[in-house]
Structure formats: structure tokens, C-alpha cells
Amino acid sequence: MKKDCEEKKEVPLGGVIHKAGNAHDYVTGGWRKLRPVLDKDKCTNCLICWVMCPDSAVIAEDGKMVGFDLEHCKGCGICAMECPDKVKAITMEEEEA
Amino acid sequence: MATLKELSAREELFSGGHRLCAGCGIPPIMRLLLRSAGAPVVATTATGCLEVGTTIYPYTSWRISWIHSAFENSAATISGIESAYRSLKKKGKIAADKDIKFLALGGDGGTYDIGFQALSGALERGHDFLYVCYDNGAYMNTGIQRSSATPLGSATTTSPAGSAHPGKGQWRKDLTRIVVAHNIPYAAQASPHNWRDLAKKAEKAFNTEGPTFLNVVSPCPLGWYSKPELSIETAKLAVDTCYWPLYEVEDGILKVNYKPREKKPIEEWLKLQGRFKHLFKEENRWLLEETQKRIDSEWERLLEMDGKRVF
């Protein structure tokens, strides 16, 4: 009981979260059934996959698509679908159990 | 207008790790919105998928100042914040040259229905803020109940399709038109598939003084019974069938931003979504025809007003 009270005191007034964007510490990669795989040779770095990703899980560095943040990717497959027809650099592959 | 390369160089203000569904249409809209502000943003979100999914305590996806709102009052909350900001600026407690943008967010439930009065009031009072509605066409967060944004014939848990009724019996409310009637300086409709158009509109809205409004279609794999990977494609078809026209009203002048080269039949959009499955049965054929007729007439009306003063 005493422990419960002490724990409650640790919650800041108003339930304020002081660390902006700390959801990044929460891993959602475990939701994934399909994993996006990039063929770097085909990729033209158009960044369509980057802008359309719901989980901020396509990593762009210096204007180039460099890979996926698999800690957060939920495997929705939007990146592979939206990769332009002439490029198709991303394939969705079954996650190993 | 920034390119994707330039946009990607800006800070990611919406982190992964949120609990929105795989393939949800909302996050791409938010990521682009926050990148288009060009200044620090203070935001509030009405109860809904976005609010619940991004702020499950003790986590938040927001790398900006963000405050929780109840279902009905995100426009009222942002009104208070913006008023306090103006007051503090007047008193010299915030530097006069400091630029902060104010953003209120809500789904169609929190905007078309429950938050409508607060929105209308804030628009009338003329606060300097942007309201963005992500319209997924039902109360998805609480289990797919119909809202006034739900399309005709759509099956939801409170307008189920069966032998007695073929889904929702009413046409959707045209909220963008109602907002335009408030004579605000800028209002527009956008879609996440057209990132260029959406970013441009967000940039314009953020940089317009006074109340501004964006209504953005937001595909929902859960409530639309559509495939997660097809979310962006579904948004595109909503626009190409003219179910969701991309247009803006700036200082009273209406402009249609995108006219599809070939207007696709509404079936192409409907068939991707399980919520419309029953419309393809022979006995519901008339509903398909009615939907097409209504869309055609709305699109025609919009084209007639293109380039003209609407208020």
C-alpha cells in the first residue's frame, strides 16, 4: 500500500510528460507480420516511402533513403505499395517466427 | 514549396512508437503538417484515435508542446491558448518578434459532430489558428460508430448493413462548405496521397493570419475494412472519383486544385472497402447509382464555382 502511494507521487502534476517524443522508446516492431526489405540498387531515393510511412520508420539521411527503423515499423506495407511502379525497390517478406 | 529532400532534412516532430493501427492514414498527415509550419507549434487534439494513439501515458509521440482536450473542445482549448499568447505578448512576457503557430486537431467525430459548436465559435471569434480535421468517416476509436461524415450506404456498428437497412441512410455533412460559410480567410480539402498539395495548403494555412481550416481525408484500414498497404491508394481513389475533391477557398475565391484527367466511377473506390461490400448486391444497386449521381452533381457544382467568389 505504502509502495502504491510512493509510486503515485512520481506522476508529475497534471500527468505532464516531460520528455517530448518519448513514444520512440516504445517498441511497436513486434506488431509486424511482414518485413520491408530494400533493394538499394533499384532505389532512386525519391523518398515517397519516407513521406507516406505512418510510423516514421523509413530512415532518410542527407536526402537519401537508407533503410528502415524496424523497432517501430508495423509492417503495413505502404512503402512497398507506394514505391513507384518503375522502381519497386521494396518487397515485403514474411517475418520469421 | 519544399521538395521531399528538403522536407526530410527538417526535424521529425512526430515519433514512431505510437499505437495507431498499421496503415493508418493519420500519421503521414501529421508528419507533413508539423514539417510545414515553419515555426514552433502548440497543438491540442480532441479525443479520438490520434489523441489516444499518440499519448498513452507515460508516452507521447509529440515533439512539440501538446495538450489534451476533451472530445468537444479542441477549438475552444486552442482559442484559450492563443488568447493567452496574445496577452503575454502584449505584456512583454513573450518577445514581440517570436512566432508561434497554433494547431487544433480532431477526427470527424470531434469536428463534424461533437466539437462543431466549439469550432464554429472559434472561427467566428477570429482566433489565429489552424484547425485540421482528419476525416476517416466514423468514430473509429470507439468501435466504428456512424458520424455525420460517414458516407451514404456505409456499414458501421450503429448503421449495420442487413436485410432491413443497407448501411447508413443519409448523405454526409459537407463540413468544408459550412466552415467556408464562416467567411474565414482560408479553408481547404486535402488528401495524404498528394503530399505536395497537402504541404502547400498546410504552409499557406499556417502563414495566414486568422482562423484557417483543413479537412483531410484519412483512410482507416480498421473501419473501412480495407487493406493497410492500400491506405494511400484508397485516398488517391477518393480524389480520382471526385468523392473527395481537392479545393481551397482563399479570401472568398474558390479554386479546384486538382481535376482528374479521367473521373473514375465511384465503384472503384467503394470496392476496396469492406464497409461498402453490400452495395454490390443486386438489391442495393440503386444506392450505388444514387451515390454516383450525387457525386456527379456535387463535382459539377464545384466546377461551376471554380475561380469564382463564393462569399
mmCIF file of all heavy atoms in Angstrom, chain B residues 75-116:
data_model
loop_
_atom_site.group_PDB
_atom_site.id
_atom_site.type_symbol
_atom_site.label_atom_id
_atom_site.label_comp_id
_atom_site.label_asym_id
_atom_site.label_seq_id
_atom_site.Cartn_x
_atom_site.Cartn_y
_atom_site.Cartn_z
ATOM 1 N N ALA B 75 -11.183 23.145 -30.350
ATOM 2 C CA ALA B 75 -11.156 24.516 -30.881
ATOM 3 C C ALA B 75 -11.229 25.539 -29.749
ATOM 4 O O ALA B 75 -10.628 26.615 -29.827
ATOM 5 C CB ALA B 75 -12.304 24.732 -31.865
ATOM 6 N N ALA B 76 -11.955 25.199 -28.663
ATOM 7 C CA ALA B 76 -12.031 26.109 -27.513
ATOM 8 C C ALA B 76 -10.697 26.139 -26.776
ATOM 9 O O ALA B 76 -10.234 27.196 -26.339
ATOM 10 C CB ALA B 76 -13.154 25.673 -26.577
ATOM 11 N N THR B 77 -10.061 24.969 -26.636
ATOM 12 C CA THR B 77 -8.757 24.898 -25.961
ATOM 13 C C THR B 77 -7.735 25.752 -26.709
ATOM 14 O O THR B 77 -7.010 26.544 -26.105
ATOM 15 C CB THR B 77 -8.273 23.435 -25.872
ATOM 16 O OG1 THR B 77 -9.284 22.660 -25.234
ATOM 17 C CG2 THR B 77 -6.977 23.321 -25.087
ATOM 18 N N ILE B 78 -7.693 25.608 -28.024
ATOM 19 C CA ILE B 78 -6.700 26.372 -28.797
ATOM 20 C C ILE B 78 -7.036 27.869 -28.742
ATOM 21 O O ILE B 78 -6.134 28.711 -28.739
ATOM 22 C CB ILE B 78 -6.583 25.840 -30.256
ATOM 23 C CG1 ILE B 78 -5.169 26.066 -30.802
ATOM 24 C CG2 ILE B 78 -7.576 26.470 -31.210
ATOM 25 C CD1 ILE B 78 -4.109 25.181 -30.243
ATOM 26 N N SER B 79 -8.322 28.207 -28.656
ATOM 27 C CA SER B 79 -8.720 29.619 -28.519
ATOM 28 C C SER B 79 -8.115 30.212 -27.257
ATOM 29 O O SER B 79 -7.581 31.329 -27.265
ATOM 30 C CB SER B 79 -10.243 29.757 -28.415
ATOM 31 O OG SER B 79 -10.871 29.275 -29.556
ATOM 32 N N GLY B 80 -8.201 29.462 -26.142
ATOM 33 C CA GLY B 80 -7.659 29.923 -24.870
ATOM 34 C C GLY B 80 -6.157 30.078 -24.915
ATOM 35 O O GLY B 80 -5.602 31.076 -24.435
ATOM 36 N N ILE B 81 -5.493 29.095 -25.533
ATOM 37 C CA ILE B 81 -4.032 29.136 -25.618
ATOM 38 C C ILE B 81 -3.589 30.345 -26.449
ATOM 39 O O ILE B 81 -2.695 31.095 -26.072
ATOM 40 C CB ILE B 81 -3.478 27.828 -26.231
ATOM 41 C CG1 ILE B 81 -3.839 26.622 -25.354
ATOM 42 C CG2 ILE B 81 -1.966 27.918 -26.410
ATOM 43 C CD1 ILE B 81 -3.555 25.283 -26.006
ATOM 44 N N GLU B 82 -4.266 30.526 -27.577
ATOM 45 C CA GLU B 82 -3.895 31.627 -28.481
ATOM 46 C C GLU B 82 -4.163 32.982 -27.814
ATOM 47 O O GLU B 82 -3.390 33.934 -27.976
ATOM 48 C CB GLU B 82 -4.663 31.476 -29.802
ATOM 49 C CG GLU B 82 -4.215 32.409 -30.902
ATOM 50 C CD GLU B 82 -5.088 33.648 -31.026
ATOM 51 O OE1 GLU B 82 -6.157 33.704 -30.390
ATOM 52 O OE2 GLU B 82 -4.700 34.571 -31.748
ATOM 53 N N SER B 83 -5.252 33.079 -27.033
ATOM 54 C CA SER B 83 -5.569 34.328 -26.333
ATOM 55 C C SER B 83 -4.512 34.624 -25.265
ATOM 56 O O SER B 83 -4.087 35.773 -25.108
ATOM 57 C CB SER B 83 -6.939 34.250 -25.673
ATOM 58 O OG SER B 83 -7.917 34.023 -26.650
ATOM 59 N N ALA B 84 -4.102 33.579 -24.543
ATOM 60 C CA ALA B 84 -3.076 33.748 -23.515
ATOM 61 C C ALA B 84 -1.770 34.213 -24.153
ATOM 62 O O ALA B 84 -1.083 35.099 -23.635
ATOM 63 C CB ALA B 84 -2.863 32.434 -22.777
ATOM 64 N N TYR B 85 -1.456 33.650 -25.299
ATOM 65 C CA TYR B 85 -0.241 34.016 -26.040
ATOM 66 C C TYR B 85 -0.274 35.492 -26.421
ATOM 67 O O TYR B 85 0.692 36.235 -26.221
ATOM 68 C CB TYR B 85 -0.153 33.114 -27.273
ATOM 69 C CG TYR B 85 0.829 33.542 -28.354
ATOM 70 C CD1 TYR B 85 2.205 33.382 -28.188
ATOM 71 C CD2 TYR B 85 0.363 34.059 -29.568
ATOM 72 C CE1 TYR B 85 3.090 33.733 -29.189
ATOM 73 C CE2 TYR B 85 1.245 34.418 -30.577
ATOM 74 C CZ TYR B 85 2.604 34.257 -30.385
ATOM 75 O OH TYR B 85 3.470 34.603 -31.383
ATOM 76 N N ARG B 86 -1.437 35.935 -26.926
ATOM 77 C CA ARG B 86 -1.561 37.351 -27.324
ATOM 78 C C ARG B 86 -1.409 38.270 -26.112
ATOM 79 O O ARG B 86 -0.762 39.302 -26.172
ATOM 80 C CB ARG B 86 -2.894 37.593 -28.027
ATOM 81 C CG ARG B 86 -2.794 37.333 -29.528
ATOM 82 C CD ARG B 86 -4.054 37.736 -30.260
ATOM 83 N NE ARG B 86 -5.172 36.878 -29.891
ATOM 84 C CZ ARG B 86 -6.328 37.312 -29.412
ATOM 85 N NH1 ARG B 86 -6.535 38.598 -29.247
ATOM 86 N NH2 ARG B 86 -7.286 36.461 -29.099
ATOM 87 N N SER B 87 -2.017 37.826 -25.013
ATOM 88 C CA SER B 87 -1.953 38.619 -23.784
ATOM 89 C C SER B 87 -0.512 38.711 -23.262
ATOM 90 O O SER B 87 -0.040 39.794 -22.906
ATOM 91 C CB SER B 87 -2.880 37.989 -22.743
ATOM 92 O OG SER B 87 -2.613 38.502 -21.480
ATOM 93 N N LEU B 88 0.171 37.561 -23.250
ATOM 94 C CA LEU B 88 1.558 37.542 -22.754
ATOM 95 C C LEU B 88 2.478 38.367 -23.655
ATOM 96 O O LEU B 88 3.424 38.992 -23.196
ATOM 97 C CB LEU B 88 2.071 36.095 -22.653
ATOM 98 C CG LEU B 88 1.439 35.252 -21.549
ATOM 99 C CD1 LEU B 88 1.823 33.786 -21.701
ATOM 100 C CD2 LEU B 88 1.853 35.752 -20.161
ATOM 101 N N LYS B 89 2.171 38.372 -24.926
ATOM 102 C CA LYS B 89 2.955 39.163 -25.882
ATOM 103 C C LYS B 89 2.771 40.657 -25.597
ATOM 104 O O LYS B 89 3.728 41.423 -25.596
ATOM 105 C CB LYS B 89 2.505 38.838 -27.307
ATOM 106 C CG LYS B 89 3.648 38.331 -28.155
ATOM 107 C CD LYS B 89 3.234 38.027 -29.563
ATOM 108 C CE LYS B 89 4.479 37.750 -30.368
ATOM 109 N NZ LYS B 89 4.178 37.351 -31.729
ATOM 110 N N LYS B 90 1.516 41.018 -25.332
ATOM 111 C CA LYS B 90 1.168 42.399 -25.033
ATOM 112 C C LYS B 90 1.898 42.881 -23.779
ATOM 113 O O LYS B 90 2.365 44.010 -23.707
ATOM 114 C CB LYS B 90 -0.345 42.474 -24.803
ATOM 115 C CG LYS B 90 -1.025 43.655 -25.461
ATOM 116 C CD LYS B 90 -2.500 43.413 -25.302
ATOM 117 C CE LYS B 90 -3.392 44.517 -25.660
ATOM 118 N NZ LYS B 90 -4.790 44.095 -25.509
ATOM 119 N N LYS B 91 1.988 41.980 -22.794
ATOM 120 C CA LYS B 91 2.639 42.325 -21.530
ATOM 121 C C LYS B 91 4.161 42.258 -21.630
ATOM 122 O O LYS B 91 4.859 42.515 -20.650
ATOM 123 C CB LYS B 91 2.173 41.378 -20.418
ATOM 124 C CG LYS B 91 0.735 41.587 -19.990
ATOM 125 C CD LYS B 91 0.349 40.547 -18.947
ATOM 126 C CE LYS B 91 -1.109 40.684 -18.585
ATOM 127 N NZ LYS B 91 -1.607 39.454 -17.931
ATOM 128 N N GLY B 92 4.653 41.835 -22.771
ATOM 129 C CA GLY B 92 6.097 41.750 -22.958
ATOM 130 C C GLY B 92 6.725 40.501 -22.365
ATOM 131 O O GLY B 92 7.945 40.373 -22.290
ATOM 132 N N LYS B 93 5.892 39.539 -21.926
ATOM 133 C CA LYS B 93 6.437 38.303 -21.349
ATOM 134 C C LYS B 93 6.862 37.307 -22.433
ATOM 135 O O LYS B 93 7.596 36.363 -22.177
ATOM 136 C CB LYS B 93 5.419 37.671 -20.399
ATOM 137 C CG LYS B 93 5.259 38.492 -19.125
ATOM 138 C CD LYS B 93 4.338 37.861 -18.133
ATOM 139 C CE LYS B 93 4.254 38.728 -16.894
ATOM 140 N NZ LYS B 93 3.191 38.302 -15.984
ATOM 141 N N ILE B 94 6.335 37.493 -23.625
ATOM 142 C CA ILE B 94 6.822 36.740 -24.793
ATOM 143 C C ILE B 94 7.330 37.802 -25.763
ATOM 144 O O ILE B 94 6.652 38.804 -25.998
ATOM 145 C CB ILE B 94 5.697 35.897 -25.435
ATOM 146 C CG1 ILE B 94 5.282 34.749 -24.498
ATOM 147 C CG2 ILE B 94 6.144 35.341 -26.780
ATOM 148 C CD1 ILE B 94 4.138 33.895 -25.021
ATOM 149 N N ALA B 95 8.531 37.576 -26.299
ATOM 150 C CA ALA B 95 9.144 38.572 -27.185
ATOM 151 C C ALA B 95 8.221 38.883 -28.365
ATOM 152 O O ALA B 95 7.567 37.984 -28.918
ATOM 153 C CB ALA B 95 10.483 38.058 -27.686
ATOM 154 N N ALA B 96 8.150 40.158 -28.743
ATOM 155 C CA ALA B 96 7.243 40.621 -29.797
ATOM 156 C C ALA B 96 7.535 39.959 -31.143
ATOM 157 O O ALA B 96 6.629 39.748 -31.956
ATOM 158 C CB ALA B 96 7.318 42.132 -29.918
ATOM 159 N N ASP B 97 8.802 39.613 -31.380
ATOM 160 C CA ASP B 97 9.135 39.034 -32.690
ATOM 161 C C ASP B 97 9.057 37.501 -32.694
ATOM 162 O O ASP B 97 9.375 36.853 -33.679
ATOM 163 C CB ASP B 97 10.548 39.497 -33.123
ATOM 164 C CG ASP B 97 11.614 39.087 -32.119
ATOM 165 O OD1 ASP B 97 11.248 38.636 -31.005
ATOM 166 O OD2 ASP B 97 12.817 39.216 -32.447
ATOM 167 N N LYS B 98 8.626 36.928 -31.590
ATOM 168 C CA LYS B 98 8.505 35.463 -31.506
ATOM 169 C C LYS B 98 7.272 35.007 -32.278
ATOM 170 O O LYS B 98 6.195 35.581 -32.141
ATOM 171 C CB LYS B 98 8.384 35.056 -30.033
ATOM 172 C CG LYS B 98 8.249 33.585 -29.809
ATOM 173 C CD LYS B 98 9.472 32.995 -29.163
ATOM 174 C CE LYS B 98 9.311 31.489 -29.097
ATOM 175 N NZ LYS B 98 10.566 30.801 -29.155
ATOM 176 N N ASP B 99 7.448 33.984 -33.119
ATOM 177 C CA ASP B 99 6.332 33.490 -33.913
ATOM 178 C C ASP B 99 5.994 32.065 -33.463
ATOM 179 O O ASP B 99 6.840 31.174 -33.542
ATOM 180 C CB ASP B 99 6.717 33.511 -35.399
ATOM 181 C CG ASP B 99 5.543 33.148 -36.293
ATOM 182 O OD1 ASP B 99 4.386 33.276 -35.835
ATOM 183 O OD2 ASP B 99 5.787 32.721 -37.443
ATOM 184 N N ILE B 100 4.795 31.877 -32.982
ATOM 185 C CA ILE B 100 4.345 30.540 -32.591
ATOM 186 C C ILE B 100 3.043 30.245 -33.325
ATOM 187 O O ILE B 100 2.177 31.108 -33.444
ATOM 188 C CB ILE B 100 4.126 30.444 -31.058
ATOM 189 C CG1 ILE B 100 5.444 30.691 -30.311
ATOM 190 C CG2 ILE B 100 3.568 29.067 -30.671
ATOM 191 C CD1 ILE B 100 5.317 30.722 -28.793
ATOM 192 N N LYS B 101 2.930 29.023 -33.842
ATOM 193 C CA LYS B 101 1.713 28.630 -34.567
ATOM 194 C C LYS B 101 0.828 27.779 -33.663
ATOM 195 O O LYS B 101 1.330 27.016 -32.841
ATOM 196 C CB LYS B 101 2.077 27.828 -35.818
ATOM 197 C CG LYS B 101 3.095 28.490 -36.738
ATOM 198 C CD LYS B 101 2.523 29.685 -37.442
ATOM 199 C CE LYS B 101 3.529 30.252 -38.444
ATOM 200 N NZ LYS B 101 3.126 31.600 -38.867
ATOM 201 N N PHE B 102 -0.466 27.905 -33.861
ATOM 202 C CA PHE B 102 -1.418 27.165 -33.038
ATOM 203 C C PHE B 102 -2.247 26.219 -33.899
ATOM 204 O O PHE B 102 -2.783 26.619 -34.931
ATOM 205 C CB PHE B 102 -2.303 28.140 -32.257
ATOM 206 C CG PHE B 102 -1.479 28.996 -31.335
ATOM 207 C CD1 PHE B 102 -1.040 30.255 -31.734
ATOM 208 C CD2 PHE B 102 -1.080 28.511 -30.108
ATOM 209 C CE1 PHE B 102 -0.235 31.023 -30.917
ATOM 210 C CE2 PHE B 102 -0.270 29.265 -29.270
ATOM 211 C CZ PHE B 102 0.151 30.528 -29.669
ATOM 212 N N LEU B 103 -2.308 24.983 -33.444
ATOM 213 C CA LEU B 103 -2.924 23.932 -34.238
ATOM 214 C C LEU B 103 -3.926 23.142 -33.401
ATOM 215 O O LEU B 103 -3.581 22.633 -32.332
ATOM 216 C CB LEU B 103 -1.811 22.997 -34.746
ATOM 217 C CG LEU B 103 -2.182 21.724 -35.485
ATOM 218 C CD1 LEU B 103 -2.861 22.044 -36.806
ATOM 219 C CD2 LEU B 103 -0.932 20.870 -35.744
ATOM 220 N N ALA B 104 -5.158 23.074 -33.859
ATOM 221 C CA ALA B 104 -6.162 22.227 -33.209
ATOM 222 C C ALA B 104 -6.467 21.058 -34.138
ATOM 223 O O ALA B 104 -6.569 21.227 -35.350
ATOM 224 C CB ALA B 104 -7.434 23.026 -32.942
ATOM 225 N N LEU B 105 -6.563 19.866 -33.555
ATOM 226 C CA LEU B 105 -6.784 18.669 -34.353
ATOM 227 C C LEU B 105 -8.011 17.921 -33.861
ATOM 228 O O LEU B 105 -8.325 17.943 -32.672
ATOM 229 C CB LEU B 105 -5.555 17.753 -34.247
ATOM 230 C CG LEU B 105 -4.230 18.369 -34.705
ATOM 231 C CD1 LEU B 105 -3.060 17.651 -34.050
ATOM 232 C CD2 LEU B 105 -4.120 18.300 -36.205
ATOM 233 N N GLY B 106 -8.668 17.274 -34.777
ATOM 234 C CA GLY B 106 -9.810 16.447 -34.388
ATOM 235 C C GLY B 106 -10.182 15.514 -35.514
ATOM 236 O O GLY B 106 -9.885 15.783 -36.677
ATOM 237 N N GLY B 107 -10.789 14.396 -35.184
ATOM 238 C CA GLY B 107 -11.311 13.491 -36.209
ATOM 239 C C GLY B 107 -12.656 14.011 -36.677
ATOM 240 O O GLY B 107 -13.082 15.099 -36.272
ATOM 241 N N ASP B 108 -13.337 13.236 -37.509
ATOM 242 C CA ASP B 108 -14.631 13.734 -37.968
ATOM 243 C C ASP B 108 -15.650 13.754 -36.824
ATOM 244 O O ASP B 108 -16.478 14.654 -36.750
ATOM 245 C CB ASP B 108 -15.153 12.936 -39.169
ATOM 246 C CG ASP B 108 -15.107 11.444 -38.949
ATOM 247 O OD1 ASP B 108 -13.990 10.897 -38.935
ATOM 248 O OD2 ASP B 108 -16.167 10.836 -38.760
ATOM 249 N N GLY B 109 -15.564 12.796 -35.907
ATOM 250 C CA GLY B 109 -16.478 12.808 -34.762
ATOM 251 C C GLY B 109 -16.285 14.050 -33.912
ATOM 252 O O GLY B 109 -17.237 14.739 -33.551
ATOM 253 N N GLY B 110 -15.022 14.368 -33.628
ATOM 254 C CA GLY B 110 -14.685 15.517 -32.794
ATOM 255 C C GLY B 110 -14.812 16.853 -33.519
ATOM 256 O O GLY B 110 -14.671 17.908 -32.902
ATOM 257 N N THR B 111 -15.056 16.815 -34.823
ATOM 258 C CA THR B 111 -15.128 18.050 -35.598
ATOM 259 C C THR B 111 -16.527 18.275 -36.178
ATOM 260 O O THR B 111 -17.170 19.287 -35.919
ATOM 261 C CB THR B 111 -14.093 18.032 -36.741
ATOM 262 O OG1 THR B 111 -12.816 17.705 -36.193
ATOM 263 C CG2 THR B 111 -14.021 19.372 -37.436
ATOM 264 N N TYR B 112 -17.004 17.303 -36.954
ATOM 265 C CA TYR B 112 -18.314 17.437 -37.604
ATOM 266 C C TYR B 112 -19.452 17.419 -36.575
ATOM 267 O O TYR B 112 -20.472 18.065 -36.760
ATOM 268 C CB TYR B 112 -18.581 16.266 -38.561
ATOM 269 C CG TYR B 112 -17.839 16.256 -39.871
ATOM 270 C CD1 TYR B 112 -16.456 16.151 -39.925
ATOM 271 C CD2 TYR B 112 -18.537 16.299 -41.080
ATOM 272 C CE1 TYR B 112 -15.788 16.080 -41.136
ATOM 273 C CE2 TYR B 112 -17.871 16.233 -42.297
ATOM 274 C CZ TYR B 112 -16.502 16.122 -42.317
ATOM 275 O OH TYR B 112 -15.856 16.051 -43.518
ATOM 276 N N ASP B 113 -19.280 16.576 -35.534
ATOM 277 C CA ASP B 113 -20.379 16.368 -34.581
ATOM 278 C C ASP B 113 -20.100 17.060 -33.241
ATOM 279 O O ASP B 113 -20.611 18.127 -32.968
ATOM 280 C CB ASP B 113 -20.575 14.872 -34.301
ATOM 281 C CG ASP B 113 -20.935 14.062 -35.527
ATOM 282 O OD1 ASP B 113 -21.292 14.652 -36.548
ATOM 283 O OD2 ASP B 113 -20.860 12.820 -35.457
ATOM 284 N N ILE B 114 -19.286 16.386 -32.428
ATOM 285 C CA ILE B 114 -19.180 16.760 -31.022
ATOM 286 C C ILE B 114 -18.460 18.095 -30.809
ATOM 287 O O ILE B 114 -18.825 18.870 -29.945
ATOM 288 C CB ILE B 114 -18.515 15.613 -30.224
ATOM 289 C CG1 ILE B 114 -19.358 14.338 -30.366
ATOM 290 C CG2 ILE B 114 -18.357 15.970 -28.761
ATOM 291 C CD1 ILE B 114 -18.805 13.124 -29.674
ATOM 292 N N GLY B 115 -17.448 18.376 -31.639
ATOM 293 C CA GLY B 115 -16.697 19.618 -31.454
ATOM 294 C C GLY B 115 -17.155 20.748 -32.357
ATOM 295 O O GLY B 115 -16.501 21.787 -32.457
ATOM 296 N N PHE B 116 -18.278 20.554 -33.017
ATOM 297 C CA PHE B 116 -18.710 21.508 -34.040
ATOM 298 C C PHE B 116 -19.009 22.900 -33.474
ATOM 299 O O PHE B 116 -18.621 23.917 -34.052
ATOM 300 C CB PHE B 116 -19.934 20.952 -34.777
ATOM 301 C CG PHE B 116 -20.440 21.868 -35.834
ATOM 302 C CD1 PHE B 116 -19.660 22.152 -36.937
ATOM 303 C CD2 PHE B 116 -21.678 22.461 -35.736
ATOM 304 C CE1 PHE B 116 -20.102 23.011 -37.921
ATOM 305 C CE2 PHE B 116 -22.122 23.322 -36.710
ATOM 306 C CZ PHE B 116 -21.341 23.607 -37.799
#
